[in-house]
């Protein structure tokens, strides 16, 4: 599975939106995370607030940087895609998608959240993201 | 046998929502009601009645015709809705949460369980107190009697005071329980807790595993108080605890009220999750999702072994097919029947294998001394003696024990002999 989290959905002081999409690819069963295969982040800064279309695009770009991402189900917390049904998000992403429902899935999404938030804080402090799919400055 | 009170069940569904009326009926029957009617409506919530006015009339007529004693809603009702509906139906109207509280109140035996039920009831009432008192002052209605004499502020304050008092008592019980747990761990026992959706067969499995008589009932929530028994896993004694079952749509305040009981699950060295595999796959998945949510909420991070129970009802082929479909939702799955005993040996072996991460192999050498006899006897109690060799010089033992007691063994032997941890 691949856990996804998006940080920075709210406007910054300068009115821009600095979003970080983090993906964590992991091997799990219902309750255990056995290993993390790969991680990737996608950073983007836009003058407009995000909508479903932009979020899906950004998640797709973050997934592109992962090894064999297309083979796994993408999992996110309910609410990440404005409460849209799973089938719709799945159709837009072009890969199987579901909202987290097991302990292990929640844990991987939580890892993605920590990664996204950490990068968000770093970017805010002026750090440059070296190994990521860097988006356009908007 | 006295006549059971008659209940009418009502559910309002939003578009695309799955019905939970079957489970509500099971709950109502567990609470001792005879279900005489079921009503469903697909619509948005009506602020006055929750359901539509036409449906209210239809149900009111049904209630009169069948002489029903109570109307039970699957949906959460606002006090004003319960008040208006009670006026139309002429009988008390409750929702799913109040029904669960009724069941809990019937089942609670220990002081702790009784306090938890009281706390849950008060937490349910608190946000509704002001509105309920104001409504009760308007007119007498079933379910609102006696509240009119209070002032809204004072009634709310009274509930707050009661909550604080009960929480204080529960904290003390929790402290005692923590001490007991610590003591059991010091003795070298690993703690295993049974968890799962209500009616999955946890108590039957407990009885099967421990050969003890634990109360088993077909009704939902037959276990509300925790029961702990010794389980012998091929020479290793572990403590097995049976706890309250989970149910869908359990509100946060109810989970919080049973925190000290659920804490038992959170603190376990292993959780034995029991799943009824005889049900439809979609139903198994729904119940498993609930278990995952509750276990995550209470912070379970111990290994989980999943017992897919009731194979006797569907056969091995179907159970294996279902297990294949459940792969992403379970850990260490074993197919069993707690009723017939099928798969129980394999389950014990799996429990042993998973728990072995906490066990260490220790070599103990003791001299030929009368004091050694009592140490050997205690080592037999503390773990599994794999080998015991006596000679003229004394005794050499290979013991598999919990890592928690290695320090105690070292202290017990002191200068008498040698202790070596092998792995």
């Amino acid at each position: 599975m691949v856990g996804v989290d998006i940080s920075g959905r709210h406007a910054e002081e300068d009115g821009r939106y600095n979003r970080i999409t983090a993906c964590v690819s992991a091997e799990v069963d219902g309750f255990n995370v056995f290993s993390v295969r790969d991680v990737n982040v996608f950073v983007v800064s836009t003058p407009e607030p995000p909508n479903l279309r932009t979020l899906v695009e950004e998640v797709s770009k973050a997934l592109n940087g992962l090894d064999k991402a297309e083979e796994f189900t993408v999992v996110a917390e309910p609410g990440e895609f404005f409460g849209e049904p799973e089938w719709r998000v799945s159709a837009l992403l072009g890969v199987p998608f579901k909202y987290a429902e097991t302990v292990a899935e929640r844990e991987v999404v939580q890892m993605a959240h920590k990664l996204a938030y950490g990068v968000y804080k770093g970017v805010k402090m002026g750090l440059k993201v070296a190994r990521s799919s860097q988006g356009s400055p908007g | 046998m006295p006549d059971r009170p008659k209940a009418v069940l009502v559910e309002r569904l939003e578009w695309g929502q799955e019905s939970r009326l079957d489970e509500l009926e099971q709950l109502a029957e567990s609470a001792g009601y005879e279900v005489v009617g079921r009503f469903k409506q697909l619509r948005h919530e009506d602020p006055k009645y929750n359901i539509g006015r036409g449906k209210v009339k239809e149900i009111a007529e049904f209630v009169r015709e069948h002489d029903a004693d109570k109307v039970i809603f699957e949906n959460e009702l606002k006090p004003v809705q319960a008040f208006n509906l009670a006026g139309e139906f002429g009988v008390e109207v409750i929702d799913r949460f109040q029904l669960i509280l009724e069941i809990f109140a019937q089942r609670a035996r220990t002081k702790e369980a009784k306090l938890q039920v009281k706390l849950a009831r008060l937490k349910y009432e608190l946000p509704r107190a002001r509105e309920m008192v104001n409504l009760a002052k308007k007119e007498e209605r079933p379910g609102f009697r006696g509240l009119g004499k209070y002032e809204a502020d004072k009634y709310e304050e009274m509930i707050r005071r009661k909550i604080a008092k009960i929480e204080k008592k529960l904290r003390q019980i929790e402290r005692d329980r923590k001490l007991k747990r610590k003591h059991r761990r010091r003795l070298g026992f690993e703690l295993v807790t049974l968890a799962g959706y209500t009616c999955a067969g946890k108590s039957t499995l407990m009885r099967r595993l421990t050969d003890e008589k634990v109360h088993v009932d077909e009704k939902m929530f037959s276990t509300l108080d925790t029961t702990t028994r010794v389980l012998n896993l091929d020479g290793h004694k572990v403590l097995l605890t049976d706890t309250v079952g989970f149910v869908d749509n359990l509100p946060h305040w109810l989970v919080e009220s049973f925190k000290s009981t659920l804490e038992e699950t959170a603190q376990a060295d292993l959780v034995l999750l029991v799943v009824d595999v005889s049900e439809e796959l979609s139903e198994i998945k729904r119940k498993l999702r609930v278990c995952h949510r509750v276990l995550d909420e209470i912070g379970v991070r111990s290994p989980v072994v999943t017992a897919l129970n009731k194979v006797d009802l569907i056969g091995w082929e179907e159970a294996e097919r279902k297990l294949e479909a459940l792969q992403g939702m379970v850990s260490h799955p074993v197919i069993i029947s707690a009723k017939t005993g099928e798969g129980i040996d394999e389950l014990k072996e799996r429990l042993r294998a998973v728990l072995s991460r906490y066990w260490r192999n220790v070599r103990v050498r003791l001299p030929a001394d009368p004091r050694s006899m009592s140490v050997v006897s205690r080592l037999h109690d503390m773990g599994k003696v794999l080998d015991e060799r006596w000679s003229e010089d004394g005794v050499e033992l290979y013991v598999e024990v919990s890592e928690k007691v290695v320090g105690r063994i070292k202290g017990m032997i002191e200068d008498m002999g040698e202790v070596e941890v092998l792995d």
Side-chain angles (χ1 to χ4, degrees):
Chain A
M1 65 158 286
V2 176
V4 169
D5 186 81
I6 304 156
S7 268
R9 289 157 164 264
H10 303 291
E12 299 294 329
E13 281 167 9
D14 61 2
R16 293 191 69 83
Y17 294 81
N18 301 329
R19 281 187 303 286
I20 317 293
T21 305
C23 298
V24 175
S25 168
E27 197 186 338
V28 300
D29 70 2
F31 291 88
N32 305 292
V33 180
F34 298 118
S35 65
V36 172
R37 293 190 205 96
D38 200 3
V39 299
N40 193 35
V41 289
F42 178 77
V43 185
V44 72
S45 177
T46 60
E48 268 91 39
N51 56 39
L52 183 63
R53 191 183 56 80
T54 53
L55 288 187
V56 166
E57 266 173 29
E58 287 156 21
V59 170
S60 291
K61 283 176 182 162
L63 289 170
N64 281 342
L66 284 183
D67 190 29
K68 294 178 188 166
E70 67 287 353
E71 289 180 14
F72 308 111
T73 302
V74 174
V75 182
E77 276 299 340
E80 198 69 281
F81 292 96
F82 305 103
E84 287 293 331
E86 290 171 341
W87 63 265
R88 182 143 191 245
V89 181
S90 182
L92 290 168
L93 276 173
V95 289
F97 171 83
K98 64 184 277 211
Y99 290 114
E101 52 187 14
T102 70
V103 170
E105 285 168 359
R106 286 197 185 96
E107 210 162 304
V108 177
V109 173
Q110 184 67 10
M111 285 180 198
H113 170 70
K114 285 185 176 157
L115 179 60
Y117 190 65
V119 174
Y120 171 78
K121 291 285 245 188
V123 168
K124 215 171 169 184
M125 286 161 67
L127 295 174
K128 295 259 185 282
V129 180
R131 184 188 169 266
S132 85
S133 317
Q134 177 81 46
S136 72
Chain B
M1 195 178 144
D3 281 348
R4 291 188 294 159
K6 291 177 191 167
V8 174
L9 309 183
V10 185
E11 181 182 38
R12 182 185 56 78
L13 291 162
E14 297 280 346
W15 278 264
Q17 199 185 344
E18 268 180 53
S19 172
R20 292 207 194 96
L21 217 48
D22 287 340
E23 190 167 284
L24 188 70
E25 183 163 348
Q26 259 183 297
L27 283 166
E29 277 171 1
S30 292
Y33 292 102
E34 182 196 345
V35 176
V36 291
R38 291 164 50 131
F39 290 86
K40 257 193 233 179
Q41 192 178 32
L42 186 68
R43 64 160 287 156
H44 288 307
E45 184 178 350
D46 178 81
K48 194 173 176 188
Y49 295 112
N50 196 296
I51 49 173
R53 282 144 214 248
K55 196 53 101 183
V56 171
K57 276 195 183 133
E58 189 186 333
I59 298 169
E61 210 168 292
F62 186 89
V63 167
R64 269 191 296 279
E65 269 174 24
H66 291 80
D67 201 20
D69 300 287
K70 209 171 260 188
V71 176
I72 306 171
F73 269 68
E74 165 61 31
N75 314 74
E76 185 172 359
L77 291 176
K78 294 186 180 87
V80 66
Q81 291 169 340
F83 183 80
N84 293 332
L85 289 165
E88 297 293 332
F89 300 153
V91 296
E92 194 180 345
V93 181
I94 62 169
D95 60 20
R96 176 190 177 90
F97 307 127
Q98 286 166 296
L99 178 64
I100 292 175
L101 283 176
E102 266 186 27
I103 300 172
F104 279 19
Q106 289 169 7
R107 305 279 197 276
R109 295 277 174 275
T110 59
K111 185 181 166 192
E112 182 184 20
K114 283 177 184 167
L115 284 172
Q116 286 172 331
V117 173
K118 259 191 206 169
L119 180 64
R121 194 178 286 277
L122 291 167
K123 282 195 171 174
Y124 175 83
E125 266 186 44
L126 184 62
R128 297 167 172 79
R130 192 174 287 271
E131 200 181 340
M132 283 177 75
V133 169
N134 290 335
L135 287 167
K137 282 185 190 300
K138 275 194 201 168
E139 198 183 324
E140 282 239 327
R141 293 273 163 93
F144 284 80
R145 292 187 185 98
L147 279 175
K149 66 181 177 187
Y150 292 105
E151 288 305 321
D153 286 348
K154 283 184 183 161
Y155 186 63
E156 208 176 67
E157 187 49 37
M158 189 178 81
I159 292 180
R160 276 185 214 284
R161 271 205 309 275
K162 279 186 185 169
I163 287 178
K165 215 169 150 184
I166 293 174
E167 280 179 339
K168 195 177 164 191
K169 283 183 188 169
L170 281 171
R171 273 198 295 275
Q172 182 55 48
I173 294 175
E174 176 57 16
R175 273 195 290 273
D176 295 347
R177 198 197 274 271
K178 243 182 215 163
L179 278 175
K180 209 181 270 177
R181 227 168 14 227
K182 209 171 153 189
H183 178 64
R184 284 168 174 171
R185 281 217 163 95
R186 275 193 59 223
L187 291 175
F189 288 118
E190 258 72 46
L191 311 179
V192 176
T193 303
L194 282 158
Y197 209 82
T198 182
C199 265
K202 295 182 290 300
S203 299
T204 312
L205 181 58
M206 171 120 178
R207 200 163 60 165
R208 170 67 65 182
L209 285 169
T210 62
D211 299 321
E212 292 252 7
K213 280 188 181 132
V214 177
H215 178 67
V216 178
D217 206 325
E218 284 291 309
K219 290 175 178 173
M220 295 170 106
F221 300 112
S222 53
T223 306
L224 208 55
D225 312 312
T226 57
T227 321
T228 301
R229 299 281 182 269
V230 174
L231 162 63
N232 195 327
L233 289 177
D234 187 27
H236 271 281
K237 286 177 191 154
V238 301
L239 291 179
L240 184 65
T241 302
D242 192 6
T243 57
V244 60
F246 308 146
V247 68
D248 202 358
N249 203 7
L250 210 57
H252 192 68
W253 49 265
L254 196 57
V255 177
E256 234 174 43
S257 305
F258 279 79
K259 201 175 143 232
S260 56
T261 304
L262 294 169
E263 188 76 8
E264 202 72 25
T265 312
Q267 296 299 327
D269 297 304
L270 185 149
V271 175
L272 177 49
L273 180 66
V274 187
V275 176
D276 180 352
V277 76
S278 72
E279 293 183 295
E280 290 290 317
L281 193 59
S282 59
E283 191 63 359
I284 300 173
K285 283 188 175 174
R286 179 181 74 82
K287 291 182 175 178
L288 258 172
R289 275 195 290 271
V290 174
C291 295
H292 274 276
R293 203 169 50 233
V294 179
L295 292 173
D296 192 47
E297 210 173 299
I298 59 179
V300 169
R301 288 294 173 264
S302 329
V304 176
V305 170
T306 316
L308 300 169
N309 192 21
K310 305 193 187 179
V311 66
D312 54 298
L313 297 177
I314 53 164
W316 283 84
E317 208 174 303
E318 195 181 335
E320 271 157 16
R321 194 175 47 79
K322 283 178 176 169
L323 168 59
E324 194 57 40
L326 294 171
Q327 281 301 345
M329 298 184 86
V330 295
S331 289
H332 303 292
V334 185
I335 298 170
I336 62 152
S337 165
K339 196 174 165 192
T340 64
E342 291 168 87
I344 294 295
D345 288 341
E346 201 194 334
L347 175 64
K348 281 186 176 177
E349 188 43 52
R350 188 66 59 90
L351 291 174
R352 208 190 118 77
V354 176
L355 282 171
S356 67
R357 68 173 67 181
Y358 303 113
W359 297 340
R360 296 286 169 270
N361 279 320
V362 176
R363 181 171 62 202
V364 178
R365 285 202 186 106
L366 293 163
D369 185 306
R371 285 185 303 161
S372 299
M373 291 301 288
S374 78
V375 173
V376 170
S377 157
R378 284 174 71 184
L379 286 172
H380 274 274
D381 287 340
M382 288 166 104
K384 187 181 179 185
V385 176
L386 304 169
D387 196 13
E388 186 175 339
R389 288 176 207 159
W390 289 87
S391 66
E392 284 177 6
D393 302 329
V395 60
E396 186 178 61
L397 297 108
Y398 289 84
V399 200
E400 196 177 50
V401 289
S402 167
E403 60 189 2
K404 297 163 201 154
V405 296
V406 172
R408 272 185 67 217
I409 293 174
K410 284 181 178 167
M412 199 164 76
I413 289 165
E414 283 181 4
D415 310 328
M416 269 176 73
E418 285 173 32
V419 181
E420 192 187 343
V421 181
L422 302 172
D423 56 42

